[in-house]
């Protein structure tokens, strides 16, 4: 399957939710301007970075598979879909601030709710963990096999979790401490539970496998308290 046609799925081609001006919260902070799209659920208006409320789009690096097993870049396609929807002046109404200090907002172009439009065109998921606002839009997109729903797609949250797990596995195989400042290696060997401090004789050659019960420690006292003893250097 080729990429779904972004141009045939812009604002004018989506049965997107249109809202009245009176229904938009005028007491909340507003941010207006030309958008620079970061990915399928994040944009910037000048120096203000905005996370679209209630939706979760594929990561830019994420891929999907079509019904024939071919891989396509659904993350890039999702970003292009938002660029198409947000090509005119965007008005964003703040709902929250997330843990990355981004404004969480519902955004509109000509009173079209572009958060809803992204879900309706199958370019993003309804982020039910945080909001139920767009669940009906996702159900319709699924039913009509629109956008990503024409193919096999992993939820962005699962994709991110798998990516983190892979990075942690690579770190462990390289002997890199997963927590900054906690570089003491608690190794289990035929000699028992030994810990190795940076710069010691066996440190560089020691690999930590947390699945075997081995640990990273932040101090020698912590290692000893857990039952490990210092390796002879």
């Amino acid at each position: 399957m080729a990429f779904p046609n972004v141009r045939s799925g812009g604002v004018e081609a989506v049965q997107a939710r249109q809202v009245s001006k009176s229904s938009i919260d005028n007491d909340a902070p507003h941010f207006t301007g030309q958008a620079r799209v970061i990915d399928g659920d994040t944009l910037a208006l000048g120096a203000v970075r905005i996370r679209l409320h209630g939706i979760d789009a594929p990561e830019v690096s994420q891929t999907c598979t079509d019904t024939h097993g071919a891989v396509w870049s659904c993350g890039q396609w999702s970003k292009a879909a938002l660029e198409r929807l947000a090509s005119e002046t965007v008005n964003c109404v703040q709902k929250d601030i997330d843990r990355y200090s981004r404004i969480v907002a519902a955004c509109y172009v000509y009173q079209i709710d572009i958060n809803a439009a992204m879900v309706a065109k199958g370019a993003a998921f309804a982020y039910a963990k945080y909001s139920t606002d767009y669940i009906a839009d996702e159900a319709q997109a699924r039913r009509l096999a629109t956008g990503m729903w024409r193919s096999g797609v992993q939820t962005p949250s699962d994709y991110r979790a798998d990516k983190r797990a892979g990075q942690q596995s690579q770190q462990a195989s390289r002997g890199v401490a997963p927590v900054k400042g906690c570089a003491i290696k608690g190794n289990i060997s035929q000699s028992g539970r030994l810990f190795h401090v940076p710069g010691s004789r066996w440190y560089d050659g020691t690999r930590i496998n947390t699945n075997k019960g081995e640990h990273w420690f932040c101090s020698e006292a912590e290692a000893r308290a857990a039952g490990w003893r210092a390796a002879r250097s």
Side-chain angles (χ1 to χ4, degrees):
M1 180 183 76
F3 282 20
N5 191 332
V6 172
R7 287 195 169 275
S8 66
V11 172
E12 70 283 359
V14 177
Q15 293 181 348
R17 186 182 308 163
Q18 188 161 5
V19 297
S20 64
K21 290 183 179 180
S22 61
S23 68
I24 297 176
D25 185 358
N26 290 317
D27 293 328
H30 284 232
F31 303 88
T32 302
Q34 289 296 128
R36 175 172 60 87
V37 173
I38 310 299
D39 56 33
D41 54 36
T42 313
L43 52 81
L45 297 178
V48 179
R49 184 162 293 206
I50 293 173
R51 177 67 160 80
L52 298 185
H53 160 74
I55 76 171
D56 197 19
E59 300 296 311
V60 171
S61 59
Q62 192 170 339
T63 58
C64 298
T65 55
D66 68 15
T67 54
H68 302 291
V71 176
W72 63 288
S73 299
C74 52
Q76 291 285 353
W77 175 78
S78 176
K79 178 183 177 182
L82 183 56
E83 287 173 336
R84 175 72 172 166
L85 288 164
S87 60
E88 303 292 337
T89 299
V90 175
N91 178 36
C92 294
V93 182
Q94 181 175 331
K95 288 182 172 288
D96 202 352
I97 297 176
D98 71 10
R99 59 177 175 163
Y100 303 109
S101 299
R102 297 176 299 186
I103 301 297
V104 178
C107 295
Y108 308 90
V109 174
Y110 302 129
Q111 278 70 64
I112 294 293
D113 183 336
I114 63 175
N115 304 39
M118 284 293 289
V119 177
K121 71 198 269 80
F125 293 80
Y127 211 171
K129 178 179 178 181
Y130 296 104
S131 172
T132 60
D133 288 356
Y134 305 113
I135 289 177
D137 299 282
E138 180 180 297
Q140 181 174 352
R142 283 174 178 262
R143 186 169 60 253
L144 298 176
T146 303
M148 294 183 300
W149 300 113
R150 292 166 54 189
S151 63
V153 57
Q154 184 181 34
T155 63
S157 57
D158 285 346
Y159 175 82
R160 291 190 293 267
D162 287 349
K163 189 173 182 179
R164 284 193 299 271
Q167 289 171 341
Q168 290 171 356
S169 177
Q170 289 178 356
Q171 286 177 334
S173 69
R174 294 196 304 265
V176 177
V179 179
K180 186 176 181 180
C182 300
I184 295 175
K185 299 178 178 180
N187 176 241
I188 300 174
S189 68
Q190 292 179 347
S191 300
R193 295 172 180 260
L194 306 177
F195 68 82
H196 305 265
V197 299
S200 62
R201 181 179 180 184
W202 308 109
Y203 184 85
D204 289 341
T206 299
R207 297 290 178 264
I208 299 303
N209 184 345
T210 56
N211 292 327
K212 291 170 53 180
E214 296 177 329
H215 288 273
W216 293 94
F217 295 106
C218 301
S219 69
E220 293 185 42
E222 180 188 8
R224 289 192 175 94
W228 265 256
R229 59 186 173 85
R232 293 182 179 180
S233 57

